[in-house]
């Protein structure tokens, strides 16, 4: 082998061997050596080539040692060029081991050596390789902007050197850094560019590998359909060129994408579709096992196949597979790959049921721990130790559980690995919480709270990285992240006399959970969060936090003033009961025929849970002139998000008859800025019977013209796009030319907990929630006049999806709008048109908030004569305000 491949995107193996951050392991240039240097040069090159094999196999310590020897040879022969190059490679290996200081010293030495060289093509290429290593170090240290800058400089140097192939890998690195910085539009543009470059290249092994890695990145960020398309192209090339290694790898990763789709549908409660994709994943894993020429790929496929069989409870098929995996694990050379294979195998065995049936788990993990110590691979050691702690936790051996978990945590913190630290902090919290549930000492509860708190801090700090921590078979937001928040809140509120500090922290934790859910929904960090004091936003607003725990419903009320926190616990109200009550009321509201008495009865049940414990205090507070409560703001949890809070009924009046009502996913995403009435400007768009409606099987919206005309009559500064003119491109042109602060879309749309199924329709096609970023944020970034209010007048939440309103919150945030007004279900379009016209009339009034404008509109409908039945909740309660209510 004369030299390395120009582009190798190496895998950072997670617990299921998922592809991670692309790393370039570059070419070692080979200038013809003179007779004196020949032996040393040949030996150094052999050392570097051997180090690559160790690196690829996950034996990073061995790779680093060989590279150090090669660097010493080049130093002795005064070959500065190759010495600098090898030091940059050594830095990559040291980074894998978590040896950050040594890795940085290697990079710094390399850069200092390069300062002594004259600039030429060879210098440019080597300098680019060193900057690539520096970028990875900076990213690992949280210096994302610096990493991006390093990779941008590296790209320019690769262009100068004429090494255009390697640029593809550098651009993928840049795209991931842009994602981490929240610059999604730029990241998407760059990934699309990379994809086009790859497709333009002739079919080759390099092209198959590039597409494979690009497809995996698309999966990490939630674009599962695109991931499947790209991975399928990689597979076709591998099969066409008879490349068995690339073929089996593509089959394995296609299986991972199908399984990700299955999991997504499982969270949407579409069990039939979820099972369909799991079966497709199983078939692909079987093919990967059959075609694999590398044992590592074969075991990855077997482990993922095994995990899916457990998930679908096909235990009869697992016995021969368990024996096969055991035998083949022992054939793997000692490496990070083999350690993670053992950890993954143990985690799957733990899910099978009684651990007494699998005592071999201890030996499997202890072997992994021993291998990690021999390799000095502290990250792998932490994973293995922590998983052993999980075994003892499940066995109820709290002493051994805490001992091993604490050891794993110490190592994770020492190597600055918050992505695994949070898991062991959570595990320690669980052990302390569960060890003696009836006799637990007070200090153990406090210790548990401390561990949980640190776990939540780590998750919050990770944010954009969280979705890519372990996005494959062994990772699920519902299993691995959300419970950390809820269990911490459970501990904080266990006492009926929860103190003020506990209430403040519980409220902050629920805010953080809302952000994490939105990040999970988008597959990236959706927005920058800021601590917000409700008194700064609106001293006349109270905020209500319902918190759904497995065995009870907790409600926290925040009144104006730093000490005004109240708390009420409804014991023995389960999540199932809450979901049933929400589903029933939602169903009643959607039917025009439902009797008012039935709606009021069902709405009173939820009122009693959420408002009644504080009703007297809210009424008392409103009599105080200095802190009159005018608005109730809800930070809703679970299925409650799918209900309009305005319809809650106390037996005499609806909640909206007492207060303006608004919803926000979290106060931390709000800007305390009211709508400027004197500068109202509206871009309204809509369609009566678009071709896109027919594609989706949806009917016409007959009164769109009436609605759009009514807006013109009430808002002086307005522009309209109607029917054929209502396309995405025209909206973007209008927004870029004119600073509108209201965008009104009269069209069909759907909100879902699946971002791929959250969309609005223009004349021709869907505009997905993620596309709104491209459509509207351009104006937000360029102008001091962002869109303040997005109105969606004919949308609805997906039936049967209890988290569907997450898509509504997602649209509000992705659009860059401070506030969204939308309908939770479709109603008579004549009623909608009249409702919207009335809303704009109210919005034009001075000294009222958007929430009050909505309330006044709803009250006006409530007072309508019964012959048109617009006074029924079906019509007026469908509309909710999400975001900034001012």
């Amino acid at each position: 082998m004369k030299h390395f491949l120009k582009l190798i995107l190496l895998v950072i193996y997670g617990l299921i061997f998922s592809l991670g951050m692309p790393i370039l392991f570059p070419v070692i240039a080979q200038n013809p050596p003179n007779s004196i240097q020949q032996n040393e040069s040949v030996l150094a090159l052999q050392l570097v080539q051997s180090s690559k094999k160790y690196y690829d196999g996950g034996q990073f310590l061995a790779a680093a040692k060989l590279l150090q020897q090669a660097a010493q040879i080049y130093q002795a022969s005064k070959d500065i060029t190759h010495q600098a190059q090898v030091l940059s490679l050594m830095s990559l290996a040291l980074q894998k081991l978590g040896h950050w200081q040594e890795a940085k010293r290697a990079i710094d030495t390399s850069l200092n050596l390069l300062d002594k060289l004259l600039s030429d093509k060879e210098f440019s290429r080597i300098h680019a390789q060193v900057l690539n290593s520096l970028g990875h170090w900076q990213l690992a240290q949280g210096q994302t902007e610096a990493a991006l800058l390093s990779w941008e400089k590296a790209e320019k140097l690769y262009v100068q050197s004429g090494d255009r192939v390697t640029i593809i890998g550098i651009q993928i690195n840049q795209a991931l850094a842009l994602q981490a910085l929240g610059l999604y539009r730029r990241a998407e543009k760059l990934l699309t560019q990379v994809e086009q470059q790859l497709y333009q290249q002739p079919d080759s092994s390099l092209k198959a590998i590039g597409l494979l890695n690009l497809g995996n990145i698309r999966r990490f960020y939630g674009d599962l359909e695109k991931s499947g398309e790209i991975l399928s192209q990689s597979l076709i090339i591998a099969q066409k060129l008879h490349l068995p290694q690339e073929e089996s790898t593509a089959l394995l990763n296609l299986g991972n994408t199908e399984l990700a789709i299955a999991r997504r549908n499982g969270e949407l409660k579409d069990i039939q579709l979820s099972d369909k994709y799991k079966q497709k994943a199983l078939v692909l894993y079987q093919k990967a096992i059959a075609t694999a020429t590398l044992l590592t790929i074969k075991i990855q496929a077997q482990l993922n196949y095994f995990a899916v069989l457990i998930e679908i409870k096909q235990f009869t098929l697992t016995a021969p597979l368990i024996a096969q995996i055991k035998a083949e694990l022992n054939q793997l050379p000692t490496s990070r790959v083999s350690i993670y294979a053992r950890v993954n195998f143990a985690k799957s065995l733990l899910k099978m049921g009684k651990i007494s049936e699998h005592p071999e788990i201890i030996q499997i993990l202890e072997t992994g721990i021993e291998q990690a110590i021999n390799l000095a691979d502290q990250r792998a050691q932490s994973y293995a130790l922590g998983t052993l702690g999980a075994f003892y936790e499940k066995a109820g051996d709290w002493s051994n559980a805490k001992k091993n978990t604490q050891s794993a945590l110490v190592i994770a913190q020492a190597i600055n690995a918050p992505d695994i630290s949070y898991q062991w902090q959570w595990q320690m919290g669980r052990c302390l919480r569960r060890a003696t549930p009836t006799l637990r000492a007070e200090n153990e509860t406090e210790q548990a709270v401390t561990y949980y708190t640190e776990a939540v801090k780590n998750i919050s700090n990770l944010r954009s990285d969280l979705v890519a921590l372990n996005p494959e078979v062994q990772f699920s937001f519902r299993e691995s992240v959300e419970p950390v928040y809820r269990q911490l809140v459970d501990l904080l509120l266990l006492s009926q006399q929860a103190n003020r500090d506990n209430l403040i922290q519980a409220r902050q934790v629920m805010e953080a959970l809302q952000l994490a859910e939105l990040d999970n929904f988008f597959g990236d960090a959706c927005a920058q969060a800021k601590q917000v004091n409700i008194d700064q936003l609106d001293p006349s607003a109270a905020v209500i936090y319902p918190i759904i725990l497995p065995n009870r419903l907790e409600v926290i009320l925040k009144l104006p003033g730093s000490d005004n926190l109240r708390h009420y616990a409804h014991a023995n109200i389960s999540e199932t009961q809450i979901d049933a009550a929400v589903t029933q009321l939602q169903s009643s509201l959607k039917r025009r025929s439902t009797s008012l008495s039935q709606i009021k009865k069902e709405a009173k049940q939820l009122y009693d849970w959420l408002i009644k414990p504080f009703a007297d205090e809210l009424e008392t507070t409103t009599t105080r002139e200095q802190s009159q409560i005018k608005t109730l703001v809800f930070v809703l949890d679970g299925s409650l998000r799918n209900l309009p809070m305005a319809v809650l009924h106390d037996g005499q009046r609806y909640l909206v008859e007492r207060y303006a009502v608004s919803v926000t996913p979290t106060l931390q995403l709000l800007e305390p800025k009211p709508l400027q009435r004197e500068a109202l400007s509206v871009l309204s768009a809509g369609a009566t019977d678009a071709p896109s409606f027919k594609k989706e099987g949806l009917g016409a919206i007959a009164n769109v013209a009436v609605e759009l005309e009514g807006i013109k009559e009430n808002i002086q500064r307005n522009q309209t796009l109607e029917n054929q003119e209502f396309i995405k491109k025209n909206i973007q042109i209008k927004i870029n030319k004119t600073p509108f602060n209201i965008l009104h879309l009269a069209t069909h749309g759907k909100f879902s907990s699946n971002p791929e199924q959250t969309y609005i329709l223009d004349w021709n096609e869907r505009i997905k929630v993620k596309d709104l970023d491209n459509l509207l944020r351009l104006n937000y970034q360029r102008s001091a006049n962002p869109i303040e209010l997005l109105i969606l007048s004919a949308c609805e939440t997906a039936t049967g999806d209890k988290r569907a309103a997450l898509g509504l919150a997602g649209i509000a945030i992705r659009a860059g709008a401070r506030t969204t007004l939308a309908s939770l279900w479709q109603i008579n379009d004549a009623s909608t048109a009249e409702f919207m016209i009335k809303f704009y009339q109210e919005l034009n009034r001075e000294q009222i908030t958007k929430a009050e404008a909505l309330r006044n509109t709803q009250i006006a409908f409530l007072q309508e004569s019964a012959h048109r039945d617009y006074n029924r909740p079906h019509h007026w309660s469908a509309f909710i305000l999400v975001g900034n209510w001012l």
Side-chain angles (χ1 to χ4, degrees):
M1 180 171 126
K2 292 187 177 180
H3 55 78
F4 293 148
L5 288 174
K6 289 207 172 205
L7 173 64
I8 299 291
L9 299 178
L10 292 166
V11 173
I12 294 178
Y13 287 99
L15 291 184
I16 48 63
F17 311 100
S18 59
L19 178 78
M21 188 65 64
I23 293 179
L24 305 175
F25 207 91
V27 176
I28 291 292
Q30 297 179 65
N31 297 325
N34 59 39
S35 56
I36 299 173
Q37 297 174 324
Q38 185 171 4
N39 290 338
E40 288 86 353
S41 179
V42 170
L43 175 58
L45 184 59
Q46 288 173 344
L47 288 168
V48 175
Q49 291 172 344
S50 297
S51 76
K52 180 189 180 298
K53 293 178 182 177
Y54 283 121
Y55 190 102
D56 286 349
Q59 296 175 278
F60 306 117
L61 181 63
K65 286 180 178 178
L66 292 179
L67 289 166
Q68 186 175 30
Q69 292 175 39
Q72 289 169 350
I73 292 171
Y74 286 130
Q75 182 181 17
S77 63
K78 297 185 179 179
D79 187 344
I80 294 175
T81 302
H82 287 144
Q83 183 188 354
Q85 196 171 24
V86 168
L87 284 170
S88 73
L89 297 179
M90 188 171 78
S91 175
L92 290 176
L94 291 168
Q95 288 178 45
K96 289 287 196 172
L97 292 166
H99 299 170
W100 302 111
Q101 292 182 350
E102 297 95 319
K104 186 60 164 58
R105 279 198 293 270
I107 294 170
D108 290 342
T109 303
S110 184
L111 289 170
N112 289 334
L113 289 168
L114 290 175
D115 286 341
K116 302 174 183 178
L117 297 177
L118 294 175
S119 180
D120 58 13
K121 282 191 174 183
E122 181 66 12
F123 167 87
S124 295
R125 188 169 58 80
I126 294 170
H127 193 186
Q129 293 167 3
V130 177
L131 286 172
N132 174 56
S133 297
L134 176 60
H136 285 288
W137 185 90
Q138 289 166 328
L139 192 72
Q141 298 302 305
Q143 300 172 20
T144 312
E145 291 180 350
L148 178 60
L149 184 61
S150 294
W151 284 326
E152 287 174 341
K153 289 179 179 177
E155 181 183 359
K156 291 177 182 177
L157 289 166
Y158 276 127
V159 171
Q160 290 176 20
S161 71
D163 190 352
R164 295 188 173 276
V165 177
T166 314
I167 291 172
I168 293 174
I170 284 289
Q171 287 175 332
I172 290 176
N173 290 344
Q174 290 176 35
L176 294 174
L178 288 166
Q179 286 271 6
L181 290 168
L183 302 173
Y184 313 118
R185 191 167 184 268
R186 284 177 59 191
E188 173 64 26
K189 184 178 179 180
L190 193 53
L191 286 174
T192 301
Q193 179 183 325
V194 168
E195 185 182 345
Q196 291 169 349
Q197 290 173 354
L198 282 169
Y199 282 136
Q200 288 167 6
Q201 291 192 24
D203 290 347
S204 64
S205 173
L206 183 62
K207 182 176 179 179
I209 292 170
L211 289 170
L212 172 71
N213 287 277
L214 184 60
N216 284 332
I217 288 167
R218 290 291 194 183
R219 179 173 68 251
F220 289 175
Y221 289 102
D223 195 348
L224 303 182
E225 285 71 18
K226 190 67 174 178
S227 169
E229 290 174 16
I230 296 171
L231 290 171
S232 295
Q233 287 298 314
S234 177
L235 177 61
I236 289 168
I237 294 169
Q239 291 172 332
K240 175 184 173 183
L241 299 180
H242 306 290
L243 304 169
Q245 183 175 332
E246 286 79 0
E247 180 182 354
S248 58
T249 306
L251 286 165
L252 168 65
N253 285 286
L254 262 174
N256 291 344
T257 294
E258 298 294 340
L259 188 57
I261 295 173
R263 284 186 169 277
R264 184 180 68 188
N265 285 296
E267 289 198 350
L268 298 177
K269 304 301 181 185
D270 192 337
I271 305 303
Q272 186 175 358
L273 197 57
S274 178
D275 288 344
K276 174 187 171 183
Y277 280 102
K278 285 176 185 175
Q279 292 300 327
K280 290 173 73 173
L282 287 173
V283 170
L284 288 162
Y285 290 144
Q286 285 176 312
K287 289 180 179 178
I289 293 167
T291 58
T293 56
L294 290 178
L295 183 57
T296 52
I297 297 296
K298 183 179 180 182
I299 288 182
Q300 290 175 49
Q302 286 174 327
L303 287 168
N304 290 0
Y305 183 73
F306 179 46
V308 179
L309 288 178
I310 294 170
E311 195 169 319
I312 62 176
K313 296 182 170 50
Q314 293 292 325
F315 300 118
T316 55
L317 300 176
T318 60
L321 192 58
I322 289 173
Q324 191 175 5
I325 292 172
K326 283 181 186 176
E328 291 180 345
L329 274 178
N330 293 326
Q331 296 175 32
L332 282 175
T334 299
S335 66
R336 177 175 283 187
V337 174
S338 68
I339 298 164
Y340 281 2
R342 290 176 178 277
V343 170
N344 187 26
F345 188 37
K347 287 175 76 72
S348 290
L349 289 171
L350 281 171
K351 290 184 176 182
M352 287 193 70
K354 296 179 180 178
I355 58 174
S356 58
E357 297 175 2
H358 299 285
E360 70 273 24
I361 292 174
I362 296 176
Q363 183 58 52
I364 290 167
L365 291 170
E366 286 181 343
T367 301
I369 293 166
E370 184 181 346
Q371 289 181 350
I373 292 171
N374 292 336
L375 291 171
D377 191 333
Q378 291 180 291
R379 188 177 182 89
Q381 185 183 354
S382 179
Y383 265 128
L385 275 166
T387 307
L388 185 58
F391 170 85
Y392 286 119
E393 179 194 5
K394 189 165 184 179
D397 185 344
W398 306 113
S399 175
N400 274 318
K402 288 187 281 189
K403 182 180 75 174
N404 284 283
T405 305
Q406 185 63 40
S407 298
L409 177 58
V410 168
I411 293 170
Q413 290 175 325
I415 61 172
N416 189 26
D419 56 316
I420 50 178
S421 293
Y422 98 85
Q423 297 179 53
W424 310 143
Q425 287 160 340
W426 177 28
Q427 194 161 288
M428 279 295 293
R430 292 198 309 268
C431 291
L432 288 163
R433 182 172 176 244
R434 294 173 179 172
T436 51
T438 55
L439 303 174
R440 183 169 51 232
E442 184 64 30
N443 67 322
E444 285 186 321
T445 300
E446 291 176 3
Q447 288 176 40
V449 167
T450 300
Y451 279 112
Y452 271 104
T453 300
E454 290 304 311
V456 166
K457 283 181 183 177
N458 271 324
I459 293 172
S460 298
N461 290 336
L462 285 164
R463 287 205 71 198
S464 59
D465 299 326
L466 185 63
V467 292
L469 291 181
N470 227 343
E472 310 280 5
V473 176
Q474 294 281 14
F475 178 84
S476 162
F477 180 85
R478 294 276 158 233
E479 295 175 1
S480 303
V481 177
E482 184 177 351
V484 186
Y485 294 88
R486 295 198 184 280
Q487 289 168 18
L488 173 54
V489 171
D490 187 16
L491 273 176
L492 291 167
L493 301 180
L494 268 176
S495 170
Q496 287 294 321
Q497 302 299 321
N499 62 42
R500 174 179 171 272
D501 290 342
N502 282 10
L503 291 177
I504 290 172
Q505 186 178 356
R507 175 183 169 224
Q508 291 170 343
V509 171
M510 290 308 296
E511 291 259 1
L513 173 57
Q514 297 274 359
L515 284 172
E517 281 194 292
L518 287 166
D519 289 347
N520 180 250
F521 173 79
F522 286 121
D524 54 51
C526 61
Q528 283 299 111
K530 298 177 183 177
Q531 285 295 107
V532 175
N533 188 328
I534 184 62
D535 298 339
Q536 295 172 351
L537 283 172
D538 185 358
S540 66
V543 187
I544 298 172
Y545 298 80
I547 303 168
I548 301 172
L549 298 172
N551 62 343
R552 67 190 191 279
L553 171 66
E554 298 270 2
V555 188
I556 295 176
L557 169 69
K558 175 65 176 71
L559 294 166
S562 58
D563 295 321
N564 283 343
L565 279 167
R566 305 292 184 269
H567 160 238
Y568 191 87
H570 294 277
N572 302 318
I573 295 179
S574 68
E575 183 177 3
T576 303
Q577 286 176 280
I578 295 167
D579 290 347
V582 168
T583 301
Q584 182 56 55
L585 179 53
Q586 193 178 33
S587 176
S588 296
L589 289 169
K590 287 182 177 180
R591 294 193 309 268
R592 292 175 63 179
S593 59
T594 308
S595 68
L596 285 177
S597 60
Q598 181 178 337
I599 288 174
K600 290 176 181 179
K601 179 182 177 182
E602 293 166 359
K604 187 175 186 303
Q605 174 67 83
L606 286 153
Y607 176 91
D608 289 347
W609 287 343
L610 303 182
I611 306 297
K612 188 176 180 180
F614 313 109
D616 291 342
E617 189 161 10
L618 285 169
E619 287 295 320
T620 303
T621 306
T622 59
T623 64
R624 299 174 192 165
E625 189 175 341
Q626 68 274 25
S627 60
Q628 189 177 33
I629 301 300
K630 295 180 180 179
T631 305
L632 297 185
V633 181
F634 290 85
V635 180
L636 294 171
D637 191 19
S639 60
L640 290 169
R641 284 180 286 218
N642 286 354
L643 270 185
M645 293 294 107
V647 83
L648 300 188
H649 201 274
D650 65 4
Q652 296 180 324
R653 290 186 290 179
Y654 294 105
L655 193 63
V656 75
E657 294 181 81
R658 294 178 182 266
Y659 307 100
V661 177
S662 183
V663 173
T664 179
T666 164
L667 292 178
Q668 294 182 38
L669 296 180
L670 294 180
E671 293 183 68
K673 185 177 178 181
L675 189 64
Q676 299 299 312
R677 297 303 195 278
E678 67 277 6
L680 288 184
S681 58
V682 181
L683 173 61
S684 57
T688 299
D689 194 12
S692 62
F693 297 180
K694 294 182 174 66
K695 287 180 192 175
E696 303 287 345
L698 297 168
I701 311 175
N703 283 274
V704 163
V706 175
E707 186 173 330
L708 299 182
E709 188 60 35
I711 295 170
K712 289 181 186 178
E713 291 174 1
N714 285 281
I715 305 295
Q716 187 175 1
R717 298 171 60 195
N718 67 81
Q719 292 190 41
T720 302
L721 295 170
E722 193 168 354
N723 292 328
Q724 289 91 337
E725 292 183 343
F726 173 34
I727 58 173
K728 182 164 59 174
K729 180 181 177 182
N730 288 344
I731 295 173
Q732 190 159 24
I733 290 170
K734 289 283 189 183
I735 287 173
N736 290 345
K737 281 185 176 181
T738 308
F740 298 102
N741 54 18
I742 300 176
L743 176 62
H744 184 114
L745 301 177
T747 182
H748 286 296
K750 184 169 286 188
F751 313 124
S752 165
S753 54
N754 176 1
E756 293 300 311
Q757 295 300 319
T758 296
Y759 58 87
I760 54 177
L761 297 176
D762 70 7
W763 181 257
N764 293 320
E765 61 186 353
R766 290 183 179 186
I767 301 175
K768 292 182 180 179
V769 62
K770 289 192 174 184
D771 296 332
L772 283 171
D773 192 52
N774 297 338
L775 182 63
L776 303 179
R777 276 188 184 268
L778 193 61
N779 180 59
Y780 186 81
Q781 292 170 351
R782 287 184 179 178
S783 171
N785 301 300
I787 292 170
E788 302 272 359
L789 178 58
L790 172 66
I791 298 179
L792 305 169
S793 70
C795 295
E796 61 183 330
T797 53
T799 303
D801 181 356
K802 76 174 188 177
R803 298 172 64 235
L806 197 62
L808 172 54
I811 279 187
I813 291 162
R814 205 64 174 201
R818 290 196 171 97
T819 314
T820 297
L821 176 66
S823 56
L824 291 173
W825 58 85
Q826 287 194 10
I827 58 176
N828 177 293
D829 64 294
S831 165
T832 298
E834 188 169 327
F835 190 96
M836 287 298 155
I837 292 168
K838 176 62 177 173
F839 175 74
Y840 278 103
Q841 291 169 354
E842 292 295 327
L843 201 62
N844 261 324
R845 292 172 55 192
E846 296 291 335
Q847 306 301 319
I848 68 167
T849 65
K850 287 170 279 191
E852 288 169 338
L854 175 60
R855 175 179 182 258
N856 292 346
T857 305
Q858 291 174 320
I859 294 292
F861 265 55
L862 258 172
Q863 294 171 352
E864 280 279 346
S865 59
H867 73 274
R868 288 197 303 175
D869 82 356
Y870 286 4
N871 61 346
R872 301 181 70 83
H874 168 80
H875 292 280
W876 58 261
S877 73
F879 297 96
I880 67 169
L881 199 68
V882 182
N884 190 326
W885 63 92
L886 294 177

